[in-house]
Amino acid sequence: MKHETIEIFPTTVCKSKVDKSLINEIIKWQNESTDFVYQEVFNNPIFAELQNAVETEAQRICPKTERIDQWKIVSAWANNQPPQQKGFGFHGHADSFISAVLYLQGEEMSLSFRDSPRESPTTNTAQTKFDIIVRHTWHDDVSIPVEIGDLLFFPSYLLHEPNHNLSNKERVSIAYNLFPTRKNPPSSPPWSMAFNL
């Protein structure tokens, strides 16, 4: 008997490079700062040029449709992971569509991704004869090695975690969340709405 495999929902992670001169300016500022452990940097003038570079790259690689005009950063924060420190565990970002991480400083860095378990929806409860939910994923975790200047884009729902910083060097990264600006074509139904960020 013949069979075939059809993958219908692949997940894409995009890796880009950011100009290291932009990173050097931020690292210079970070070394002079004393409160950079975990800091909101969205729209901070010091990070403006870097934020513009990330948004420009997002326009190039993130999906566009007739309803999506541009991708805009809606939040950004710097993470400082000291030597020998374990960072955040696996997590996703429920308040955005696309997330990104830019690596500014560190050694032996990687970002791991986990395929979250799925469960069947209970839309047809008349056919449910038992109350058991099977939560399972078929995929192993995937770890993507990164270097200074690497910028990763991925769907915000995708579970991710940084590797344990086993080096003797401080690790600095910036995390971004992005939303699409919407536009309504003339054929839009009357209940739809546009929003600009």
Side-chain angles (χ1 to χ4, degrees), residues 61-73:
I61 65 171
C62 292
K64 289 187 178 179
T65 68
E66 67 171 16
R67 300 284 307 267
I68 294 175
D69 188 20
Q70 294 183 45
W71 287 88
K72 294 286 187 182
I73 294 171

Side-chain angles (χ1 to χ4, degrees), residues 33-47:
S33 175
T34 58
D35 58 350
F36 199 81
V37 175
Y38 174 81
Q39 179 177 352
E40 176 70 37
V41 298
F42 179 57
N43 287 335
N44 181 327
I46 294 169
F47 294 81

Side-chain angles (χ1 to χ4, degrees), residues 149-191:
D150 282 348
L151 173 64
L152 296 181
F153 286 94
F154 50 91
S156 298
Y157 64 78
L158 191 60
L159 299 179
H160 56 283
E161 76 168 354
N163 67 314
H164 192 147
N165 185 5
L166 296 174
S167 75
N168 292 318
K169 188 164 188 178
E170 200 166 47
R171 179 181 299 167
V172 180
S173 63
I174 300 179
Y176 297 93
N177 282 333
L178 297 95
F179 247 88
T181 60
R182 293 282 296 273
K183 59 183 181 180
N184 279 350
S187 61
S188 297
W191 59 83

Side-chain angles (χ1 to χ4, degrees), residues 23-138:
I23 291 171
N24 292 339
E25 286 300 311
I26 297 300
I27 291 301
K28 179 182 170 194
W29 175 83
Q30 183 263 338
N31 288 334
E32 296 169 0
S33 175
T34 58
D35 58 350
F36 199 81
V37 175
Y38 174 81
Q39 179 177 352
E40 176 70 37
V41 298
F42 179 57
N43 287 335
N44 181 327
I46 294 169
F47 294 81
E49 201 172 351
L50 199 54
Q51 183 169 314
N52 288 340
V54 171
E55 281 190 343
T56 298
E57 188 63 11
Q59 306 322 314
R60 192 180 72 78
I61 65 171
C62 292
K64 289 187 178 179
T65 68
E66 67 171 16
R67 300 284 307 267
I68 294 175
D69 188 20
Q70 294 183 45
W71 287 88
K72 294 286 187 182
I73 294 171
V74 293
S75 63
W77 61 97
N79 295 303
N80 188 332
Q81 193 176 354
Q84 309 306 315
Q85 185 187 58
K86 182 167 173 45
F88 298 109
F90 277 106
H91 64 284
H93 299 185
D95 54 354
S96 64
F97 286 16
I98 300 284
S99 293
V101 182
L102 172 61
Y103 293 86
L104 308 180
Q105 179 179 290
E107 296 174 347
E108 301 171 22
M109 302 177 290
S110 67
L111 190 63
S112 292
F113 294 94
R114 175 169 288 170
D115 184 28
S116 59
R118 311 298 197 272
E119 60 185 54
S120 298
T122 56
T123 53
N124 190 350
T125 55
Q127 293 184 1
T128 303
K129 303 294 185 196
F130 47 84
D131 189 18
I132 296 175
I133 296 176
V134 178
R135 294 177 58 84
H136 186 76
T137 176
W138 301 104

